[in-house]
Amino acid sequence: MSQTEPDAWRAQVRQWLATVLEPVRMPDAADLAVFHNLPEDEECLLLERCRSYQRARFDAGYQALTLPADKGGPGLTAAHVAAFAEEESAFEVPPSTELISVTVRLVAMAVSLFGTAEQRHDYARRFLRTDLLACQLFSEPGAGSDLAALRTRARQVDGGEWVIDGQKVWTSGAQFADYGLLLARTDPDVVKQAGITAFLVPMDAPGVEVRPIRQMSGGASFNEVFLSGVRVPDRLRIGRPGQGWEVATTTLAFERTASGSGNRRKGGTFTDVLALARSLGRTSDPLVRQRLADLYVRAALRTATVDRVARTSAAGGRPGPEASLTKLMASDLLTRTGQVAAELMGARISADTGEPGTFAWTQHLLGAPGYRLAGGTDQIQRNLIGERVLKLPPEPRADRAPFSELPGN
């Protein structure tokens, strides 16, 4: 694939997509859910559809386009990623689940960038192709936004194995994952960011227990994961001991980029809200028109910002704080979209009357608040933007002592 001939490359992409996918057709009804809410058997079927497409994409050389050649990728630019997404949007791509996205866009990239040559060969390639699926074992009950305060411990024993004890929460797709990219504290006697190490943990290892979390929308795609005396060989350590925070921040930057950009549908869109307003005969109301115009402008600004960030990073490199901006705009747009839809429907949204495109909006409204937390809370994104983009003074910190000396430890 030549970087010097983008038009020819686009033509290749379009031709290949036509061999594996059908052109976009108008759906019978829009999927307004932000997060998946499927029974386990249907989720398994969807996973297999997604994996079939991801394998075909990998085999054709279109997976992880920006991954450097020395890490196993084609070494293309973010502009190529944007071009591929644009061409792909014209085809019926299987809706990607959270687990597929975490496996391909986050865990595979982390192993590719920080893993050894053996780990890249044994795991990164299989994650990129979705031959193996991986979840992300980062968040904890007492360490959500402040991820560096995690308390899951890993201690090395004779023979080099690590023994892990702790609890993780809000883990998407853990019940289907083969591995989990886990952060654990390996040195409590240094500042909290410095004493963390990353591991690949087999999800079927003795001592790993997955418990589903039932959401208010009815689904259970998130899980708690308990780790009790889980033994992991040192060959599954990702990066150096103590390098886990760097692995985490790089992975989270990829997550924010994935959350804030791309053509993957999450919940309702401006087009859906406009169709709703028309079906209810509300488009002549001046207040409704004002709300629709505001929503349209915000959607257009987000699209333009995603494009600008992609073009700025076309020279390569890891995602920076700009990813926080696109993620923040995405979560804000989801919330506002649901609010406008709810205002249009009033009481119609609270009961299923059989009217098309009305009660389905509850899936959006119940899921949108969670998107403010996924990939880093809105408050964390604002801090990153303020400190790293606007160069504002950082917030006062009272946790610069070694982790073991902090209150509660």
Side-chain angles (χ1 to χ4, degrees):
M1 284 178 275
S2 172
Q3 296 189 44
T4 60
E5 300 177 3
D7 292 337
W9 186 81
R10 267 183 179 269
Q12 289 178 11
V13 169
R14 193 180 310 120
Q15 184 178 17
W16 174 78
L17 287 168
T19 66
V20 295
L21 298 172
E22 295 294 327
V24 165
R25 55 180 175 80
M26 291 299 294
D28 297 330
D31 180 7
L32 303 177
V34 176
F35 298 103
H36 284 97
N37 183 19
L38 298 173
E40 184 171 330
D41 56 342
E42 293 183 28
E43 186 83 10
C44 289
L45 290 174
L46 178 57
L47 276 172
E48 286 308 309
R49 287 178 57 207
C50 293
R51 294 174 84 170
S52 178
Y53 173 63
Q54 296 296 331
R55 287 165 181 160
R57 181 171 166 172
F58 178 91
D59 293 343
Y62 294 118
Q63 197 74 291
L65 294 172
T66 59
L67 198 62
D70 62 342
K71 303 295 185 183
L76 300 181
T77 68
H80 287 79
V81 175
F84 186 94
E86 185 178 341
E87 296 298 332
E88 192 183 47
S89 65
F91 294 87
E92 293 284 351
V93 180
S96 182
T97 69
E98 285 79 22
L99 182 58
I100 293 291
S101 181
V102 167
T103 298
V104 174
R105 300 185 181 187
L106 308 184
V107 178
M109 298 299 283
V111 177
S112 297
L113 292 173
F114 293 96
T116 63
E118 181 182 5
Q119 289 170 339
R120 291 197 297 272
H121 177 271
D122 292 345
Y123 298 102
R125 182 182 184 279
R126 298 169 75 187
F127 289 145
L128 286 171
R129 199 174 183 272
T130 65
D131 293 330
L132 293 174
L133 297 177
C135 59
Q136 186 174 282
L137 298 170
F138 282 16
S139 296
E140 298 186 5
S145 294
D146 187 13
L147 180 60
L150 62 87
R151 288 177 168 79
T152 293
R153 300 292 182 96
R155 56 187 176 85
Q156 198 166 21
V157 296
D158 294 341
E161 279 191 321
W162 296 84
V163 179
I164 301 174
D165 293 279
Q167 178 186 355
K168 300 293 181 176
V169 74
W170 302 119
T171 305
S172 301
Q175 68 272 45
F176 302 112
D178 300 293
Y179 286 86
L181 179 63
L182 174 136
L183 298 179
R185 188 162 305 283
T186 52
D187 186 353
D189 297 322
V190 294
V191 295
K192 60 184 183 180
Q193 290 89 349
I196 298 171
T197 303
F199 301 89
L200 276 181
V201 176
M203 295 302 289
D204 61 354
V208 176
E209 180 185 359
V210 178
R211 299 181 190 174
I213 299 173
R214 183 67 58 183
Q215 298 144 232
M216 61 181 175
S217 61
S221 59
F222 301 112
N223 303 271
E224 293 179 285
V225 179
F226 295 85
L227 304 110
S228 303
V230 179
R231 302 180 78 90
V232 175
D234 190 56
R235 62 180 175 80
L236 291 182
R237 172 174 45 82
I238 304 299
R240 303 183 307 275
Q243 198 181 7
W245 186 244
E246 184 182 354
V247 175
T249 54
T250 301
T251 304
L252 290 173
F254 281 117
E255 181 175 15
R256 288 160 192 153
T257 302
S259 299
S261 60
N263 294 319
R264 293 291 180 271
R265 182 188 180 97
K266 288 185 181 295
T269 65
F270 167 78
T271 302
D272 299 318
V273 177
L274 179 59
L276 177 66
R278 285 172 173 163
S279 70
L280 297 175
R282 300 289 304 279
T283 52
S284 60
D285 184 324
L287 293 179
V288 170
R289 294 172 68 88
Q290 186 176 19
R291 293 287 277 158
L292 290 172
D294 177 75
L295 195 62
Y296 173 81
V297 169
R298 291 177 184 276
L301 284 173
R302 173 185 169 269
T303 300
T305 303
V306 168
D307 181 67
R308 179 174 60 82
V309 170
R311 294 181 184 280
T312 300
S313 60
R318 299 173 186 172
E322 297 85 356
S324 296
L325 182 61
T326 56
K327 165 60 171 63
L328 190 61
M329 295 179 75
S331 61
D332 179 72
L333 183 60
L334 273 177
T335 301
R336 292 175 183 272
T337 299
Q339 289 172 345
V340 175
E343 291 169 7
L344 286 169
M345 283 182 284
R348 285 184 177 90
I349 200 170
S350 62
D352 189 358
T353 62
E355 295 176 88
T358 54
F359 185 68
W361 277 97
T362 58
Q363 292 292 321
H364 179 109
L365 288 173
L366 294 176
Y371 208 70
R372 289 190 174 276
L373 307 178
T377 66
D378 284 5
Q379 290 81 4
I380 291 295
Q381 309 309 327
R382 290 190 173 96
N383 278 357
L384 290 172
I385 293 167
E387 294 178 13
R388 301 183 188 179
V389 178
L390 302 179
K391 305 302 181 184
L392 298 177
E395 291 187 342
R397 302 292 297 268
D399 57 357
R400 300 190 185 280
F403 181 78
S404 58
E405 298 177 13
L406 296 178
N409 298 318

